[in-house]
Amino acid sequence: MDKMHKGLIDAIKPYLDHHNNIDGVVYRKAIFIFLSNFGVKNINEIALDFWRRGSKREKIQLKDFESKLSNEVCNDTDSAFGHSRFMDCNVIDYLVPFLPLEYEHAKLCVKKELVARGYQADEKIITAVADEMTYFPEHEKIYSVKGCKTIPNRVNFYL
């Protein structure tokens, strides 16, 4: 979504809006999922705030993000969302954040990659790959910068 042309999202608005049907097709029960890196700074800040207070990442709830993300989406004139009339018409039900992955999550991604390739889950390889990844904030190194995106290529080095 963040890379989408600013006017394109309004072209699909009729399919998302509150119409009974369009050309004889009922879209009211359809689910549209838009992926974006939008709001990643706020998401990371909220996750870090929870961590600093001693709360687990798994305790973060959608309500902890809704206000900040909605405001950011509505007020960002550089994004496709900011230029669209989506937020004005209340056609988006939820903004669902993808939380940053912690070290243990990165290890699970490595394990999954090994098993998917038909290898045993070797703890030495799992730890080595997870240790190579970049984490933030710089000193605490809590969350993976790139999630699991680079893991398949990193695993290649150890096989």
Side-chain angles (χ1 to χ4, degrees), residues 104-124:
E104 289 303 316
H105 300 115
K107 287 178 71 173
L108 290 173
C109 291
V110 176
K111 180 179 179 179
K112 183 178 177 182
E113 181 65 24
L114 287 170
V115 171
R117 293 183 186 194
Y119 292 94
Q120 293 290 327
D122 183 324
E123 193 58 38
K124 287 183 182 178

Side-chain angles (χ1 to χ4, degrees), residues 38-105:
F38 196 77
V40 71
K41 184 177 178 185
N42 278 327
I43 293 167
N44 290 343
E45 285 176 12
I46 291 168
L48 280 169
D49 285 346
F50 266 74
W51 177 80
R52 287 180 179 127
R53 288 187 305 216
S55 296
K56 291 190 176 274
R57 175 185 173 273
E58 288 75 12
K59 296 291 183 188
I60 301 172
Q61 296 181 12
L62 185 58
K63 68 181 180 178
D64 298 315
F65 294 96
E66 283 181 318
S67 174
K68 276 191 173 184
L69 292 180
S70 293
N71 287 336
E72 187 174 348
V73 168
C74 289
N75 296 325
D76 184 9
T77 57
D78 292 331
S79 74
F81 271 129
H83 276 276
S84 75
R85 294 183 307 270
F86 267 40
M87 301 310 283
D88 296 340
C89 301
N90 297 314
V91 295
I92 296 178
D93 294 322
Y94 296 101
L95 294 169
V96 181
F98 287 90
L99 298 177
L101 301 180
E102 295 174 344
Y103 179 79
E104 289 303 316
H105 300 115

